[in-house]
RNA sequence: GGGCGCAUAGCUCAGCGGUAGAGCGCCUGCCUUACAAGCAGGAUGUCACUGGUUCGAUCCCAGUUGUGCCCACCA
């Protein structure tokens, strides 16, 4: 029977809501292989042109909002982005289909240090520095850079299929967002939550700026712990030995500290000793911070170059002696002046060694050293005046919002990480000595006045007034992102409609940097959490679970895989690996497998179209359907419910898995195969199956669409004639279930599989027709004889039929004429093996059922189940023994 | 130094009190007119180790070993 004759469906009078008149897709419309490149770009542009992703603040529909974690303007798409974007896109696409006013808001972060470094590097290649240009020209240059090279990632997002609302794209340095920054700064300043203080901060001598604690990355570095003898033998106080890994700071020592209870040094407390290489004497102070058990129990104290020493200095009123400049060059007078800190370190140790003051060296001494997260330079603790945010009250509110359930963290186990942070947060250094960023809105007057200026206020004018030269930490503006992007501080329709956002999808690695700060600002500014749910994702790793890094050489450009296998394949693979909060390994073979799945869906739909599958008209009455139709519809509705459940739980791996198995193992491998017999026979049953097959594919494509938007769009529009699956409705569980049909088909599957196994064991060619006599009377298989014959390539038992093999399957008997001797040994082997398994099962279940304790204490349904298993094992054994006997 | 997590098939991971699962890989046979990016069949696990709780433990508890991550002011 030709496909053309089967494709004609004309008797339906009712159109489905999506249908655009009589629909006449033909298999010719679809090539035999899915080629992503042919459709992806075209479809994306169509979606954008039609405005599907543009949200309407005036809509009556309930809102669903996700703001994108703004990628750095310097960034390009990596697998981590592709991963998170896939999840966010799937969430918003589904909600859009469900009838929500879905907004996924895109944008970028100006990424202060990163961007400034990039442009400085570019200048460097021209032999110039930012100082050569001057501040204004430099910032101008950064803007030009941003226009020219920045935002590469936005184009890449289109490749991925991100359904973002481009009309609402934002940038943290936009006029509007800058106004939000200034407004918040002013408010916090007025509330006493922002203050200026001179403290030890983390200083990057290369970037020449302060950075916050979390921007410091600690590494185990090789160092040298040297023990230095301070003081003079002849002196009254004598000598003490201190240990240090940073000998160069000794030039700035202003004390030696010992523990107050340390008997060894009690006599020294209050005395002064000579500081080597200088003409100074320094006091010995008692401070309980000192651990008497470490080293000699004596600590050199350098209040201007070490945070602990700074605290000790404060407690003992020690002078702060700065001996290095902002580039880490020694400024103290003497032979070391002008040396870089590392040169100075060896020079000073050498000089002290010459004086016999270096007692003992431990080398290598591995210890934890802080590095700038942006450039890797060793951090220099540095005394300086900076702006700070007083975080305690903000962090408390941020913690409470999660504690009292207003914000849920997924998976819940990750909450501890969040609490650890917000409950122990130190004040936040927000000023940066950079030029690219939001300038601190504070003016200093000639008389020492300090004025914080709001966005609608004029800065003080006149002689001697100048603005603070520093800019704000990038995370200050990104912390405002969930509301600044919606127009705050204005009470915009967007803000009214779309705040608070629904879910924040981001990596667990960014909880401290970003999540906690958005929570703090959201609670403080909006008095409402910025999102209802925080869905934390893991990191993308390579196929062996190893971190992707340039040094390992295992970094993959997602665009390469999208080129080779399509965006859908990449997305499906990422979604399939997305178990909440866990890292996601990905390998090229897996992407290939996802591509194969897309192609399978493609071809199954082609088959359906060739055979006249349709979505037109209402579904036939179940009473009119064959068990196969009722079975697949029952399963379909179960899958709809299952997928919905997984979405609510952000279980992307589970829902992807469930859909793949349903589509491939059930719809394609069984329903479609069974439908071939129905179509071949024609008549009303074929019509019913055409409609059911259309329904099943329609719904399955909708269910798959959020994760694999391109192939589903192409197929769905072809199948249904609908405008776009993007704006089609999300399937709802109709409640239709048919347990009898499910059991019946399970029996068919079992029987068919059993005979197939026999055929394979007998070495029969898959296509080889075998005469067979089927005795199916009184079994669930009865209605499926034709399908069973078709699937198993069995032909009617004709003249001279000889039942050389007789298989009991599912209560029925299938007799085959193998035209000669069957392979007795192969069959005996198989049966013996099955028999052993059945006997083992019988022994196990039997043992349980004779166990009094089990019978007394196990719940009834468990006991019942074991009884069932025992009966099944007994039946299997009887059947297998009978077969073995027949073999002789 | 603290805290958290993980150890299940060759690889990557689900499962987490009642018969061990998936994807990829592997073996066998097939171009069966939707698909070889496919079809059919198959093999594979002392569920890290040692105890404990339980009628019953991969699953709960304790300890051991291995491994990963986060935090911390180890001079």
């Amino acid at each position: 029977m030709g496909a053309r004759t089967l494709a004609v469906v004309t008797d339906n009078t009712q159109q489905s809501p999506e249908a655009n008149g009589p629909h006449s897709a033909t298999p010719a419309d679809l090539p035999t292989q899915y080629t992503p490149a042919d459709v992806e770009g075209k479809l994306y542009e169509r979606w954008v042109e039609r405005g599907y992703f543009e949200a309407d603040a005036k809509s009556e529909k309930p809102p669903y909002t996700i703001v994108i974690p703004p990628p750095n303007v310097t960034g390009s798409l990596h697998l981590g982005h592709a991963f998170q974007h896939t999840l966010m896109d799937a969430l918003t696409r589904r909600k859009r289909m469900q009838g929500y006013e879905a907004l996924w808001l895109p944008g970028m972060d100006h990424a202060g240090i990163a961007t400034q470094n990039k442009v400085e590097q570019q200048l460097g290649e021209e032999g110039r520095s930012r100082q050569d240009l001057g501040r204004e020209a430099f910032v101008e240059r950064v803007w030009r850079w941003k226009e020219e090279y920045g935002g590469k990632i936005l184009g890449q997002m289109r490749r991925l299929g991100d359904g973002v609302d481009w009309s609402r794209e934002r940038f943290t340095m936009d006029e509007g967002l800058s106004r939000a920054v200034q407004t918040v700064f002013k408010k916090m300043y007025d509330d006493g939550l922002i203050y200026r203080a001179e403290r030890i901060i983390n200083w990057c001598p290369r970037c020449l700026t302060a950075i916050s604690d979390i921007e410091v990355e600690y590494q185990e570095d090789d160092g040298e712990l040297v023990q230095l003898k301070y003081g003079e033998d002849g002196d009254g106080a004598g000598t003490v030995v201190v240990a240090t890994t940073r000998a160069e700071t000794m030039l700035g020592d202003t004390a030696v500290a010992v523990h107050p209870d340390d008997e060894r040094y009690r006599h020294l407390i209050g005395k002064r000793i000579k500081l080597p290489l200088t003409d100074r004497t320094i006091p010995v102070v008692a401070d309980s911070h000192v651990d008497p058990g470490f080293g000699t129990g004596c600590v050199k104290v350098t209040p201007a170059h070490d945070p602990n020493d700074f605290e000790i200095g404060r407690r003992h009123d020690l002078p702060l002696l700065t001996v290095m400049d902002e580039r880490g060059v020694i400024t103290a007078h003497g032979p070391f002046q002008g040396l870089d800190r590392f040169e100075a370190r060896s020079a000073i140790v050498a000089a002290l060694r010459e004086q016999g003051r270096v007692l003992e060296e431990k080398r290598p001494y591995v210890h934890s050293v802080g590095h700038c997260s942006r450039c890797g330079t060793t951090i220099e603790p540095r005394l300086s005046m900076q702006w700070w945010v007083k975080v305690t009250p903000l962090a408390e509110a941020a913690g409470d919002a999660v504690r009292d359930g207003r914000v849920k963290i997924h998976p819940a186990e990750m909450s501890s990480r969040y609490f650890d942070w917000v409950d122990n947060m130190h004040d936040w250094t927000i000023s940066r000595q950079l030029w690219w960023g939001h300038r601190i809105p504070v003016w200093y007057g000639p008389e020492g006045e300090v004025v914080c200026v709001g966005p609608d206020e004029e800065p003080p004018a006149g002689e001697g007034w100048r603005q603070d030269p520093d800019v704000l930490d990038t995370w200050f503006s990104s912390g405002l992102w969930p509301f600044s992007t919606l127009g705050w501080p204005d009470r915009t329709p967007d803000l009214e409609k779309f705040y608070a956002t629904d879910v924040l999808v981001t990596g667990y690695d960014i909880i401290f940097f970003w999540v906690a700060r958005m929570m703090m600002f959201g609670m403080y500014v909006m008095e409402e959490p910025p999102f209802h749910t925080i869905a934390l994702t893991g990191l993308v790793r390579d196929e062996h679970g190893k971190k992707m890094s340039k040094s390992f050489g295992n970094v993959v450009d997602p665009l390469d895989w999208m080129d080779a296998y399509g965006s859908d394949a990449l997305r499906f693979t990422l979604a399939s690996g997305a178990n909440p909060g866990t890292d996601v390994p990905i390998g090229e073979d897996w992407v290939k497998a996802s591509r194969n799945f897309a192609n399978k869906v493609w071809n199954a739909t082609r088959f359906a179209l060739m055979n006249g599958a349709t979505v037109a008209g209402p579904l036939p009455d179940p009473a009119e359907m064959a068990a196969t139709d009722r079975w697949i519809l029952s399963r379909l509705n179960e899958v709809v419910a299952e997928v919905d459940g997984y979405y609510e739980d952000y279980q992307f791996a589970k829902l992807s898995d469930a859909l793949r198995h349903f589509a491939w193992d059930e719809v394609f491998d069984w329903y479609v195969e069974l439908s071939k017999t129905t179509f071949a026979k024609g008549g009303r049953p074929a019509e019913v199956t055409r409609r059911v097959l259309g329904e099943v594919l329609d719904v399955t494509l909708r269910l798959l669409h959020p994760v694999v938007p391109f192939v589903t769009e192409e197929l769905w529009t072809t199948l249904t004639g609908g405008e776009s699956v993007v704006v089609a409705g999300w399937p709802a569980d109709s409640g239709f279930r048919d347990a009898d049909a499910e059991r019946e088909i399970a029996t068919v599957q079992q029987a068919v599989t059993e005979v197939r196994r026999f055929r394979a064991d007998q070495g029969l060619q898959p296509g080889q027709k075998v005469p067979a006599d089927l005795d199916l009377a009184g079994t669930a298989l009865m209605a499926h004889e034709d399908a069973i014959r078709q699937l198993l390539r069995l032909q009617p038992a004709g003249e001279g039929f000889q039942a050389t093999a007789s298989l009991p399957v599912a209560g029925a008997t299938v007799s085959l004429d193998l035209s000669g001797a069957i392979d007795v040994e192969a069959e005996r082997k198989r049966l013996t093996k099955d028999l052993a398994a059945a006997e083992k099962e019988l022994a196990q279940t039997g043992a349980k059922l004779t166990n009094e304790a089990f019978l007394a204490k196990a719940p009834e349904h468990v006991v019942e189940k074991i009884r069932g298993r025992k009966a099944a094992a007994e039946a299997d054994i009887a059947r297998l023994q009978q077969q073995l006997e027949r073999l002789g």
Side-chain angles (χ1 to χ4, degrees):
Chain A
M1 181 148 314
R4 284 302 155 144
T5 40
L6 288 173
V8 183
V9 181
T10 52
D11 60 345
N12 286 298
T13 49
Q14 268 187 294
Q15 294 293 155
S16 85
E18 330 281 353
N20 290 343
H23 182 54
S24 57
T26 67
D29 295 342
L30 302 176
T32 60
Q33 208 170 71
Y34 173 52
T35 313
D38 292 347
V39 301
E40 290 182 351
K42 170 190 84 178
L43 292 179
Y44 190 83
E45 291 316 315
R46 186 192 297 167
W47 293 333
V48 171
E49 276 164 26
R50 291 185 183 170
Y52 291 157
F53 305 138
E54 281 181 37
D56 178 5
K58 293 193 288 288
S59 161
E60 296 292 312
K61 298 176 180 174
Y64 184 82
T65 316
I66 294 180
V67 289
I68 207 164
N72 286 356
V73 65
T74 56
S76 63
L77 191 82
H78 57 66
L79 280 171
H81 292 119
F83 173 48
Q84 292 179 1
H85 288 203
T86 296
L87 306 191
M88 285 183 268
D89 196 35
L91 289 171
T92 43
R93 280 177 186 269
R94 170 170 172 265
K95 285 289 175 181
R96 187 174 295 116
M97 291 172 76
Q98 278 186 326
Y100 286 78
E101 193 60 35
L103 168 61
W104 184 16
L105 190 147
M108 286 184 295
D109 194 289
H110 67 280
I113 302 182
T115 312
Q116 174 157 332
N117 283 353
K118 199 114 186 169
V119 177
E120 280 193 75
Q121 194 185 337
Q122 203 183 40
L123 281 174
E125 284 158 16
E126 302 166 10
R128 292 195 290 173
S129 72
R130 72 173 148 119
Q131 285 79 8
D132 293 341
L133 263 70
R135 182 165 191 149
E136 208 172 315
F138 179 78
V139 170
E140 175 56 32
R141 170 103 185 204
V142 179
W143 274 108
R144 282 214 313 276
W145 181 90
K146 185 244 172 195
E147 297 309 326
E148 199 170 345
Y149 304 105
K152 187 177 160 194
I153 192 171
L154 297 177
Q156 296 172 326
M157 284 165 60
R158 295 171 173 263
R159 263 310 290 287
L160 242 198
D162 287 358
V164 294
D165 184 346
W166 292 111
S167 73
R168 285 181 168 82
E169 186 195 334
R170 295 289 183 269
F171 181 51
T172 47
M173 288 284 281
D174 278 352
E175 193 278 328
L177 274 70
S178 299
R179 205 152 54 85
V181 167
Q182 197 175 348
T183 307
V184 171
F185 188 99
K186 168 78 172 162
K187 178 175 158 65
M188 293 177 79
Y189 182 87
D190 291 345
D191 287 349
L193 291 171
I194 284 181
Y195 62 91
R196 201 164 171 245
E198 186 175 45
R199 291 188 187 154
I200 297 273
I201 46 85
N202 306 296
W203 180 264
C204 175
R206 201 217 64 83
C207 299
L208 300 178
T209 180
I211 59 178
S212 67
D213 292 347
I214 49 176
E215 288 168 296
V216 178
E217 283 171 3
Y218 287 88
Q219 293 169 16
E220 297 286 303
D221 286 357
D222 280 352
E224 187 179 8
L225 184 70
V226 292
Q227 302 218 344
L228 308 176
K229 189 165 72 178
Y230 281 13
E232 301 293 347
D233 284 329
D235 200 6
T239 62
V240 295
V241 175
V242 298
T244 183
T245 54
R246 299 205 303 146
E248 71 281 11
T249 64
M250 62 86 59
L251 297 176
D253 285 2
T254 54
V256 166
V258 298
H259 193 276
D261 301 334
D262 194 333
E263 293 299 334
R264 294 172 295 176
Y265 303 112
R266 183 161 285 180
H267 66 284
L268 290 177
I269 295 168
K271 302 264 172 53
R272 295 187 76 87
I273 57 170
K274 174 79 182 358
L275 182 66
L277 305 179
T278 69
D279 50 13
R280 291 187 290 120
T281 62
I282 55 177
V284 177
V285 300
D287 195 287
S288 52
H289 166 80
V290 178
D291 173 7
F294 187 94
T296 58
C298 294
V299 184
K300 63 190 275 304
V301 182
T302 324
H305 291 281
D306 182 279
N308 291 316
D309 295 2
F310 181 78
E311 293 303 320
I312 294 176
R314 270 227 298 230
R315 288 195 283 271
H316 299 277
D317 206 18
L318 300 172
L320 298 161
L321 197 57
T322 298
V323 298
M324 262 179 255
D325 68 10
E326 72 277 5
R327 291 177 192 272
V329 172
I330 302 294
T331 53
H333 290 294
F336 307 105
Q337 188 173 8
L339 290 182
D340 166 80
R341 53 191 167 146
F342 300 113
E343 297 166 355
R345 183 176 301 170
S346 14
I348 284 172
V349 171
L352 288 168
R353 187 177 286 120
E354 218 163 89
Q355 294 184 6
R357 288 178 174 277
V358 179
L359 288 195
E360 190 188 308
E361 299 179 16
K362 214 167 142 191
R363 139 163 249 194
Y365 180 74
V366 178
H367 62 140
S368 179
V369 179
H371 297 261
C372 172
S373 62
R374 282 296 156 195
C375 71
T377 303
T378 303
I379 290 301
E380 192 60 42
R382 181 175 158 83
L383 182 67
S384 79
M385 182 69 88
Q386 302 287 344
W387 287 97
W388 301 79
V389 166
K390 194 170 159 185
V391 298
T392 309
L394 301 171
E396 203 175 294
D400 288 345
V402 175
R403 256 183 285 272
D404 65 23
R406 275 176 292 168
V407 178
K408 300 228 177 343
I409 293 182
H410 268 272
E413 305 90 80
M414 282 281 173
S415 316
S416 59
R417 231 182 242 234
Y418 175 80
F419 290 131
D420 284 351
W421 174 252
V422 294
D423 294 345
N424 300 295
M425 206 171 166
H426 300 300
D427 282 2
W428 170 21
T429 333
I430 50 170
S431 41
R432 296 289 179 275
Q433 288 64 53
L434 303 173
W435 288 351
W436 174 242
H438 302 281
R439 188 128 173 212
I440 289 176
V442 172
W443 268 256
Y444 305 104
E447 310 294 327
E449 305 96 321
V450 178
V451 177
C452 180
V453 178
D456 304 319
E457 298 163 341
E458 283 300 315
E463 195 64 23
W465 283 89
R466 58 177 186 87
Q467 185 174 5
D468 193 299
D470 292 350
V471 301
L472 287 166
D473 182 3
T474 292
W475 297 101
F476 193 96
S477 52
S478 24
L480 313 179
W481 188 251
F483 48 90
S484 64
T485 51
L486 294 171
W488 189 90
D490 296 332
R491 286 249 289 278
T492 60
D494 271 8
L495 195 67
E496 294 293 323
K497 179 79 181 175
F498 297 110
Y499 193 86
T501 70
D502 286 88
V503 55
L504 173 76
V505 178
T506 195
Y508 61 69
D509 57 322
I510 213 171
I511 291 175
F512 311 141
F513 284 100
W514 195 45
V515 180
R517 269 135 195 200
M518 284 191 290
M519 287 292 292
M520 295 196 304
F521 283 127
M523 298 306 294
Y524 173 66
V525 174
M526 304 298 288
E527 297 177 351
E528 187 188 350
F531 17 75
H532 305 306
T533 302
I534 299 167
L536 294 168
T537 67
L539 277 23
V540 177
R541 294 171 174 272
D542 76 4
E543 69 267 41
H544 296 294
K546 278 215 293 271
K547 205 170 195 162
M548 287 198 179
S549 75
K550 281 178 198 133
S551 51
F552 277 137
N554 60 352
V555 178
V556 173
D557 185 344
L559 293 174
D560 291 344
W561 283 348
M562 285 195 267
D563 286 342
Y565 308 110
S567 303
D568 285 337
L570 177 64
R571 293 170 58 120
F572 193 76
T573 310
L574 289 165
S576 298
N579 290 117
T582 65
D583 290 348
V584 183
I586 187 168
E588 183 163 3
D589 282 349
W590 310 346
V591 182
K592 207 180 282 183
S594 298
R595 182 273 313 263
N596 294 354
F597 175 56
N599 192 53
K600 184 74 183 177
V601 175
W602 179 268
N603 275 295
T605 307
R606 282 184 65 232
F607 168 85
L609 289 167
M610 285 189 213
N611 287 282
T614 180
V615 296
L619 273 179
D621 192 292
E624 238 195 315
M625 292 180 190
T628 49
D629 301 321
R630 284 179 279 117
W631 158 68
I632 203 65
L633 286 175
S634 182
R635 285 291 304 132
L636 179 69
N637 280 290
E638 283 167 7
V639 169
V640 169
E642 192 184 0
V643 167
D644 273 331
Y646 288 144
Y647 263 112
E648 295 307 320
D649 245 2
Y650 305 97
Q651 296 270 18
F652 291 92
K654 299 269 166 56
L655 71 91
S656 305
D657 225 43
L659 283 168
R660 190 186 53 233
H661 279 118
F662 174 68
W664 201 322
D665 300 348
E666 303 194 77
V667 180
F668 305 157
D669 283 350
W670 285 100
Y671 185 66
V672 162
E673 289 305 320
L674 289 164
S675 76
K676 287 177 179 172
T677 307
T678 313
F679 290 143
K681 284 203 280 192
R684 181 59 188 158
E687 275 172 34
V688 170
T689 292
R690 284 191 194 105
R691 180 64 188 87
V692 172
L693 180 56
E695 180 74 9
V696 170
L697 283 177
D698 176 3
V699 171
T700 303
L701 289 169
R702 291 179 201 232
L703 291 173
L704 281 167
H705 176 257
V707 180
V708 283
F710 293 110
V711 69
T712 50
E713 171 76 332
E714 186 74 359
L715 293 174
W716 189 86
T717 51
T718 306
L719 173 75
T720 66
E723 178 190 316
S724 169
V725 69
V726 176
V727 290
W730 182 251
D733 176 7
S734 72
F736 178 79
R737 296 290 187 283
D738 192 330
D740 290 339
E742 290 195 29
R743 264 193 299 274
E744 189 171 323
I745 300 308
T747 306
V748 173
Q749 291 174 331
Q750 191 195 328
V752 168
T753 302
E754 209 151 315
V755 178
R756 274 178 181 160
R757 197 154 53 190
F758 175 80
R759 288 189 55 127
D761 285 349
Q762 288 301 315
L764 294 173
Q765 300 297 298
Q768 185 179 334
K769 297 279 204 308
V770 178
D773 179 37
L774 274 54
D775 178 7
L776 309 178
T779 71
L781 303 177
M782 213 155 42
H784 305 278
E785 175 159 356
D786 291 340
I788 289 170
R789 284 187 179 276
Q790 158 83 19
L791 289 172
L792 293 170
R793 316 270 168 231
L794 305 178
Q795 35 176 236
E799 282 297 297
F801 175 83
Q802 274 203 318
T804 52
S806 201
L807 305 173
V809 289
T813 306
V814 174
S815 303
L816 304 175
D817 182 350
L818 299 187
S819 332
I822 65 163
D823 185 341
V824 175
E825 270 323 299
E827 186 60 0
R828 194 197 307 281
K829 207 171 141 195
R830 152 118 263 141
L831 294 171
T832 307
K833 190 185 149 204
D834 285 358
L835 185 62
E839 276 166 348
K840 189 178 164 201
E841 173 78 352
L842 178 66
Q844 280 177 348
T845 51
K848 283 201 175 198
L849 292 170
T850 52
N851 182 341
E852 291 300 330
F854 172 74
L855 293 172
K857 297 193 177 174
E860 190 48 40
H861 74 272
V862 172
V863 177
E864 206 39 56
K865 209 166 153 186
I866 301 290
R867 283 204 188 97
R869 277 171 50 196
K870 181 163 175 258
E874 281 163 347
D876 280 347
I877 288 168
R879 170 179 63 91
L880 292 162
Q881 281 173 341
Q882 192 190 6
Q883 277 182 269
L884 279 166
E885 273 166 33
R886 273 190 223 157
L887 281 180

